[in-house]
Amino acid sequence: MTKHIFVTGGVVSSLGKGLTSASIGMLLEQRGLTIRLQKLDPYINVDPGTMSPYQHGEVYVLDDGSETDLDLGHYERFTNSVLDCNSNFTTGQIYLSVINKERRGEFLGQTVQVIPHITNEIKAALAKPAGENVDVVITEIGGTVGDIESQPFLEAIRQFSLDKGKENCLYIHLTLVPYLKAAAELKTKPTQHSVGLLRQIGIQPDVLICRTERSLSRDERAKIALFCNVHVESVIEEKDKDFSIYEVPLSLVENNLDELIVRKLSLAKAGPLNLDRWRDLLHRLRNPEHEITIAVVGKYAEHRDAYKSIYEALDHAGVHNRAQINIQRIHSETVERDGPERLLSAVDGILVPGGFGERGIEGKVDAVRFARQRGIPYFGICLGMQCAVVEFGRNVLGLERANSTEFDKDNPHPVICLLDEQKTITDKGGTMRLGTQPAKLAPGSRAAQAYGKEEISERHRHRYEFNNQYRQQYAAKGMQVVGSSPDGGLVEIVEIADHPWFVGVQFHPEFKSGPTRSHPLFAGFIAAAVQRRKSRDQGIGERG
C-alpha cells in the first residue's frame, strides 16, 4: 500500500514547507523509492492563474497545462516526481467539484455539508497521486495551523489515517523556534502552541521540524519533545541556510530524518542513501571559476517570488558553467525613467521575463534595444520575446509604432497579435495556450545547437503570438524564426544571427530546469555572458 506523509506548518507562514517537502521527496528518491508530491492550497481561487504575482508569486505551469502553486517548482527541481492536475488542489477546486455534483443530483437530496462532503472530496484528492507503483505520496498543506480556511484540509488528513491505517500515514509539522536577542535565548513556546492547536484538531504530529536561526541544544529539544508528546529523536533541527536552498536536504540527513521516515513507515524497499550528485552540485556552487552579472528586467522585480523559476534556472546554468551569478533585479519602469545606459552598461547579460499588461513595457523594449546594439547576450522569455520583436520592428525595420495588440489595439503594425484560438475566449482562468507543446528547430540555429536536437517540447502560457504577416520582413533584416510549431503556424523562437547571443522564446524554459540538469538555453545564455566577461576583462571593446 502507498504510504502518505502530510506536511503542515505552524506559527508563521513562509517557513519553507515546500522546500522541506521537496527535500524529503529527494531523500526518499535517493533511497530508491518512487514518490509523488502534492500541494493543497486553502484559498478559494480555483487556481493561481488569475492571481496577482505580487500576492502569490509566479504561476508554475505543468506539462498538462495545469496552473499551479510555485512550490510545485521546488518539487520538480528536487525530484523526478510526475506532477499533473492531481498535484495541486485549492479550496476553490474542491468546492466547485462538490457544487457541480450537487447540481447533478449526485447526493440524492442530502444536505451538503463541510463534513462529510467537502472532507470526502479532499480525501479523494489525497488518494489520486497514489498507485501500485508509488511508494510514498507527500502532501503539503498550505497555510498555517489555526487558519480558518485550512480547517477542512486538516480535518480531512485526520480522517485519512482512520481510513488508510495509522501505520500508513506520517504527520510532519514544520514550526518556528525564534531567537529573542533581548533574552539571548531560543523560545519553544510558539512551537508548543502550534502543536497544541494540531492536537485539538485530533492530529498528533509524528515528527517536528524546527526552523531556527541557531542550533537547538539537547535540553531545548528535550523540552519540545516533552511538551509536544514526541520522541527527542523526532525533533529535527532545520537551521536557516545562508548559502543555498540546495543545502536543505543535507541538513535533514544530518538529523537522520530520512532514517526516521523509513523506520516509522516501515519502508522495506528503501535502500542506502546516495547523495553524490547533490554533494557535487554544492561543491560546484561553492567553487565557481567565473563571476558574472545578469540583469533581469521585469515588471515585478521587487517581488522575488514573481520570477522564482527564472532565478533558479539562472543559478542552475551558473552551476553548469562554473559561474557565480550576481542577479540585478531591475524594474522595467526604472529603465523607462532613467534609461538603460546608467542601469545596464556594466552587466554581462540581459534577461527579460514574461508578464501581462502595458505597465513597464517601454522599459523592456529599451532594454532589448540596448542589448541588441551593444552586443550584450540577450534572452527574452514569453513577453521578453515579444518585446524583442516589437523593438526590432520599430528600430530596424522602421515600422513606426509597431506594437502588440495587447498594449495598442489600433497600432498600424501589430507585429504581435492575439492567437486565433483566443479571439472568442472571454473567461480568464485556465484559458491561455497552456502546457507542453512541440516545436521544430532550424538546423544549425543557436537553439538547435544548444538543445543538440531539432525537435523539442516546452511549456507555454500565453495568449499573443508573432504576426506571421511580418515574417519575411524580419528575416530579410536579420531576425530569423528558428523555432516553430510542427505545422509552421506559430513562432516559438527567434534569433539574431549577427549577435553574440540573442534569443527570444515564446515558451517558458525555466520550468524545465533543475540544479543537476540546467536547461540548455539558460546554459547557452550564461556561457555567452561568461565569454563576454572574459572579453571585457581582456580589454576587448564592446560592439558599437
Side-chain angles (χ1 to χ4, degrees):
M1 179 178 287
T2 301
K3 308 287 185 173
H4 290 262
I5 296 174
F6 300 106
V7 180
T8 58
V11 184
V12 295
S13 59
S14 301
L15 281 180
K17 293 192 301 298
L19 274 173
T20 300
S21 300
S23 297
I24 292 169
M26 188 276 278
L27 295 177
L28 295 181
E29 273 194 345
Q30 296 307 309
R31 298 193 64 148
L33 299 171
T34 300
I35 62 105
R36 295 288 183 269
L37 283 137
Q38 182 186 51
K39 173 80 181 286
L40 302 187
D41 278 306
Y43 50 77
I44 298 176
N45 304 68
V46 172
D47 59 47
T50 56
M51 296 169 69
S52 166
Y54 290 110
Q55 288 192 16
H56 188 270
E58 75 175 1
V59 176
Y60 191 82
V61 179
L62 304 181
D63 280 343
D64 66 359
S66 299
E67 295 177 292
T68 69
D69 184 82
L70 61 82
D71 277 329
L72 275 75
H74 293 313
Y75 301 168
E76 285 202 324
R77 287 187 282 270
F78 277 65
T79 76
N80 297 309
S81 174
V82 176
L83 302 184
D84 57 23
C85 61
N86 295 320
S87 303
N88 193 196
F89 287 93
T90 69
T91 295
Q93 288 174 315
I94 297 295
Y95 272 79
L96 183 61
S97 178
V98 170
I99 289 169
N100 286 337
K101 287 179 180 180
E102 186 273 335
R103 293 289 83 187
R104 293 193 297 267
E106 292 186 23
F107 296 120
L108 301 176
Q110 298 174 35
T111 300
V112 179
Q113 297 175 294
V114 173
I115 302 174
H117 301 95
I118 296 298
T119 50
N120 283 348
E121 192 72 21
I122 295 170
K123 287 190 289 182
L126 293 171
K128 286 182 178 179
E132 65 177 273
N133 296 320
V134 177
D135 298 309
V136 182
V137 174
I138 302 166
T139 302
E140 174 192 350
I141 310 298
T144 57
V145 174
D147 294 346
I148 292 173
E149 56 265 33
S150 296
Q151 289 180 3
F153 291 109
L154 296 173
E155 171 61 19
I157 66 172
R158 181 194 70 80
Q159 295 178 18
F160 198 81
S161 69
L162 300 178
D163 299 341
K164 301 295 182 181
K166 182 63 180 76
E167 69 279 6
N168 296 313
C169 298
L170 186 77
Y171 297 98
I172 295 178
H173 189 54
L174 186 66
T175 184
L176 177 69
V177 181
Y179 177 78
L180 295 187
K181 292 182 180 179
E185 62 181 359
L186 291 166
K187 290 296 184 181
T188 66
K189 194 66 73 177
T191 293
Q192 294 176 41
H193 282 302
S194 181
V195 172
L197 284 172
L198 258 185
R199 293 171 69 185
Q200 287 177 27
I201 295 166
I203 298 173
Q204 168 60 55
D206 300 289
V207 178
L208 295 179
I209 298 180
C210 301
R211 284 294 308 275
T212 177
E213 296 177 37
R214 307 201 176 196
S215 293
L216 298 172
S217 68
R218 178 74 182 179
D219 287 344
E220 286 161 340
R221 290 178 62 182
K223 182 178 180 181
I224 291 171
L226 177 64
F227 283 96
C228 296
N229 196 33
V230 299
H231 294 291
V232 172
E233 66 171 4
S234 297
V235 179
I236 306 296
E237 174 188 290
E238 189 179 315
K239 279 184 66 177
D240 294 350
K241 298 292 178 287
D242 295 327
F243 177 66
S244 170
I245 61 172
Y246 300 116
E247 292 181 289
V248 173
L250 297 184
S251 171
L252 298 178
V253 169
E254 290 170 3
N255 284 270
N256 299 312
L257 179 61
D258 59 312
E259 289 284 353
L260 190 64
I261 292 171
V262 167
R263 188 169 68 253
K264 283 182 174 290
L265 285 177
S266 300
L267 295 167
K269 285 176 58 178
L273 185 64
N274 184 347
L275 291 178
D276 290 347
R277 289 182 66 196
W278 212 259
R279 295 186 195 280
D280 178 64
L281 161 69
L282 289 170
H283 175 76
R284 293 167 72 96
L285 274 170
R286 291 191 178 100
N287 298 279
E289 297 174 1
H290 316 283
E291 184 174 355
I292 60 172
T293 299
I294 300 296
V296 176
V297 182
K299 299 177 61 164
Y300 321 113
E302 65 270 44
H303 187 39
R304 185 176 178 85
D305 280 350
Y307 299 123
K308 182 68 176 176
S309 292
I310 294 282
Y311 299 140
E312 293 300 318
L314 287 171
D315 284 343
H316 305 159
V319 172
H320 181 85
N321 287 282
R322 292 191 174 275
Q324 177 180 321
I325 299 179
N326 302 315
I327 298 175
Q328 286 190 4
R329 295 190 289 274
I330 299 175
H331 203 293
S332 54
E333 287 181 293
T334 306
V335 179
E336 282 184 34
R337 185 183 68 239
D338 298 342
E341 183 77 34
R342 187 175 74 82
L343 296 166
L344 301 174
S345 292
V347 305
D348 304 301
I350 296 172
L351 187 152
V352 174
F356 297 90
E358 187 176 4
R359 180 178 58 83
I361 290 300
E362 294 304 319
K364 290 191 173 192
V365 172
D366 287 345
V368 175
R369 175 183 55 78
F370 191 79
R372 180 180 58 80
Q373 292 178 342
R374 296 296 183 93
I376 301 172
Y378 175 79
F379 195 8
I381 295 176
C382 198
L383 179 58
M385 185 203 90
Q386 296 174 5
C387 287
V389 170
V390 168
E391 188 280 327
F392 198 88
R394 291 177 184 176
N395 299 316
V396 178
L397 300 183
L399 303 176
E400 187 178 356
R401 285 181 55 208
N403 212 332
S404 166
T405 55
E406 180 181 3
F407 313 126
D408 183 357
K409 292 182 179 180
D410 300 318
N411 80 81
H413 295 290
V415 294
I416 301 294
C417 59
L418 195 65
L419 283 158
D420 287 341
E421 65 199 51
Q422 293 287 316
K423 290 179 179 177
T424 59
I425 292 174
T426 56
D427 288 351
K428 297 296 183 185
T431 57
M432 285 183 271
R433 185 174 185 236
L434 291 165
T436 296
Q437 308 287 343
K440 289 187 175 181
L441 307 182
S445 64
R446 185 170 279 116
Q449 291 171 6
Y451 281 101
K453 54 186 178 182
E454 294 174 10
E455 293 186 7
I456 62 170
S457 63
E458 293 283 0
R459 298 178 189 176
H460 293 66
R461 186 174 185 256
H462 66 105
R463 297 186 191 277
Y464 292 81
E465 63 166 332
F466 187 107
N467 189 337
N468 286 320
Q469 294 180 15
Y470 291 88
R471 272 205 200 190
Q472 291 185 353
Q473 288 177 258
Y474 274 79
K477 290 293 187 177
M479 179 174 276
Q480 304 288 336
V481 173
V482 301
S484 60
S485 57
D487 64 2
L490 297 177
V491 173
E492 297 284 12
I493 307 176
V494 297
E495 290 181 6
I496 298 177
D498 183 24
H499 190 281
W501 207 93
F502 191 107
V503 176
V505 300
Q506 185 58 75
F507 47 84
H508 288 271
E510 68 271 24
F511 294 152
K512 285 198 169 185
S513 184
T516 59
R517 54 181 192 283
S518 172
H519 190 283
L521 290 180
F522 274 92
F525 172 56
I526 295 304
V530 169
Q531 186 57 48
R532 174 180 170 78
R533 168 53 61 182
K534 287 180 180 179
S535 298
R536 295 179 74 188
D537 289 345
Q538 293 167 3
I540 301 174
E542 294 181 336
R543 259 173 43 165

